[in-house]
Amino acid sequence: MLRKIIHIDMDAFYASVEQRDFPELRGKCIAVGGSAERGVVATASYEARKYGVKSAMSSVIAKRKCPKLIFVKPRFEVYKEVSNQIRDIFKEYTDLVEPLSLDEAYLDVTENKFNIAIATDIALEIKQKIKERTNLTASAGVSYNKFLAKIASDYQKPDGLFVITPKMAEQFIEQLPINKFFGIGKVTAERMANMGIHTGFDLKKLSMEKMIKEFGKSGSYYYNIVRGEDFRAVNPDRIRKSVGSENTFSNDISQIHEMQTHIASQTDEVWEWCQNNLIFGRTVTVKMKFEDFTIVSRSKSSIYPITNEKVYRKLVLELLEECYQIGRKVRLLGVSVSNLTDFKTSEGRQLELDFEQENL
């Protein structure tokens, strides 16, 4: 039996809360978090996004893109309170709710408390209740698995509702640009483009063997999602202590440049998760397993969470070189980030770290 999955994503959540509570900010280009001199943007209003301002962007770059940008100090307690209001609405329909952050969640409504047969009707009701109770808008995606529901929620933002049915899934995925695939990050998308892969149709031409050879363990995930298959269950109340990605090669590799090429997609995958969830870690670890199954790992930690992408990627490559042993063949590489800090719930200096990280 096909499941009925809804992905709800609040529209520019933190910025929308600020514009709701402070009328003078409505219609303005605002960024929550950071400052004109340093820091990291947590969320940008839609007015600011038109100028290219994005979440997790350094404040300096954001201000350069949008000179009239207004920086607003985050009020995490308020955001948590609103988020709890929204989750209470979800729980009216199902207990199978998997929060991804304060502003988005998966719901499995295959069986629901009101015995509503059509998931789209539930999504419409949830959107309406969110608007009535919080005066905020949400976008909803409805489909038969998590991957497609996530893609659908982003398709008609803001205040959107999009449904991907089993009948339309194949054609929809085939025409979808690679950079719109959830789970394929910037570096991997660029690598695919260099391979002539620009859409789902292009990606679907690769065999499972070819995908695993090129992208490691992620290859099997890509093989499935481009065919509309995602068997991950909605997992309520998950707690994550670290995030990582590993790649076991079909053939052992021994050259450092090969390892640098292969580890790029894993580095990208981990960073994308951190960016999307605004959860960053203080510790970066690279793991290397040799042909004789012995394992070497190296880690580096910062005083503050690492929110600067260049710093993060530089650390990964430095750690890779520390693990590398000339002449030894490698069968597995892994990247992970730990000692995580959730920027959506933490207070203090955590949104003003770029300056310190430049001095790592």
Side-chain angles (χ1 to χ4, degrees), residues 220-288:
S220 59
Y221 172 71
Y222 301 155
Y223 183 88
N224 288 327
I225 61 172
V226 79
R227 288 163 174 77
E229 298 176 353
D230 180 5
F231 306 108
R232 296 173 299 155
V234 172
N235 181 18
D237 304 320
R238 65 176 186 176
I239 299 175
R240 187 185 287 269
K241 295 181 179 179
S242 65
V243 57
S245 174
E246 292 186 351
N247 183 0
T248 300
F249 309 117
S250 53
N251 296 304
D252 296 344
I253 59 177
S254 60
Q255 301 299 315
I256 187 67
H257 68 271
E258 293 179 288
M259 298 176 196
Q260 290 167 341
T261 299
H262 281 286
I263 208 168
S265 60
Q266 295 152 257
T267 306
D268 190 42
E269 183 180 338
V270 173
W271 182 253
E272 181 185 37
W273 185 92
C274 292
Q275 261 194 327
N276 288 341
N277 294 282
L278 278 177
I279 297 176
F280 298 94
R282 294 192 300 105
T283 303
V284 177
T285 301
V286 168
K287 172 183 173 183
M288 184 177 290

Side-chain angles (χ1 to χ4, degrees), residues 3-278:
R3 294 174 295 156
K4 299 172 185 178
I5 307 298
I6 300 173
H7 180 261
I8 299 288
D9 192 4
M10 300 300 296
D11 298 321
F13 183 48
Y14 304 161
S16 295
V17 171
E18 298 302 329
Q19 290 178 322
R20 178 196 70 176
D21 294 350
F22 300 98
E24 65 272 21
L25 295 176
R26 294 174 191 169
K28 303 283 184 64
C29 297
I30 73 168
V32 177
S35 66
E37 294 78 25
R38 62 179 186 174
V40 179
V41 173
T43 306
S45 65
Y46 280 101
E47 294 86 353
R49 294 183 187 193
K50 292 177 182 177
Y51 291 85
V53 180
K54 301 177 182 178
S55 299
M57 177 179 284
S58 81
S59 299
V60 174
I61 295 174
K63 187 70 172 177
R64 193 180 302 143
K65 287 180 175 289
C66 182
K68 59 184 176 180
L69 189 65
I70 301 169
F71 291 94
V72 179
K73 186 177 180 180
R75 299 180 297 148
F76 288 113
E77 290 306 316
V78 175
Y79 309 149
K80 283 190 283 185
E81 182 180 337
V82 177
S83 179
N84 287 334
Q85 284 182 273
I86 295 165
R87 289 184 189 179
D88 287 342
I89 295 172
F90 298 160
K91 291 295 181 75
E92 292 177 15
Y93 293 88
T94 177
D95 291 324
L96 292 178
V97 178
E98 180 181 336
L100 300 179
S101 59
L102 287 181
D103 61 345
E104 63 173 318
Y106 290 112
L107 291 73
D108 188 331
V109 296
T110 309
E111 296 179 4
N112 57 82
K113 296 178 181 179
F114 294 102
N115 295 316
I116 299 173
I118 301 175
T120 307
D121 292 343
I122 297 176
L124 282 168
E125 287 189 17
I126 289 174
K127 279 171 53 65
Q128 182 178 350
K129 287 182 178 180
I130 289 173
K131 180 64 176 176
E132 290 171 353
R133 298 182 194 180
T134 71
N135 201 25
L136 299 169
T137 63
S139 293
V142 181
S143 197
Y144 57 91
N145 63 41
K146 291 167 76 172
F147 168 73
L148 289 172
K150 172 77 173 176
I151 296 294
S153 70
D154 193 50
Y155 201 67
Q156 292 183 342
K157 269 185 165 291
D159 198 19
L161 171 62
F162 192 72
V163 182
I164 301 176
T165 65
K167 287 185 179 180
M168 66 184 286
E170 181 178 5
Q171 183 177 359
F172 181 87
I173 296 170
E174 286 184 353
Q175 58 82 37
L176 192 68
I178 283 297
N179 60 4
K180 295 293 184 181
F181 274 67
F182 180 68
I184 296 180
K186 181 174 63 176
V187 172
T188 303
E190 290 173 355
R191 185 177 172 200
M192 288 183 176
N194 291 333
M195 297 169 62
I197 301 169
H198 304 283
T199 65
F201 180 79
D202 299 327
L203 184 62
K204 198 173 181 180
K205 295 176 183 178
L206 273 62
S207 66
M208 172 75 87
E209 181 183 9
K210 176 67 171 176
M211 285 204 192
I212 293 174
K213 180 180 179 182
E214 293 292 339
F215 308 109
K217 192 165 72 171
S218 298
S220 59
Y221 172 71
Y222 301 155
Y223 183 88
N224 288 327
I225 61 172
V226 79
R227 288 163 174 77
E229 298 176 353
D230 180 5
F231 306 108
R232 296 173 299 155
V234 172
N235 181 18
D237 304 320
R238 65 176 186 176
I239 299 175
R240 187 185 287 269
K241 295 181 179 179
S242 65
V243 57
S245 174
E246 292 186 351
N247 183 0
T248 300
F249 309 117
S250 53
N251 296 304
D252 296 344
I253 59 177
S254 60
Q255 301 299 315
I256 187 67
H257 68 271
E258 293 179 288
M259 298 176 196
Q260 290 167 341
T261 299
H262 281 286
I263 208 168
S265 60
Q266 295 152 257
T267 306
D268 190 42
E269 183 180 338
V270 173
W271 182 253
E272 181 185 37
W273 185 92
C274 292
Q275 261 194 327
N276 288 341
N277 294 282
L278 278 177

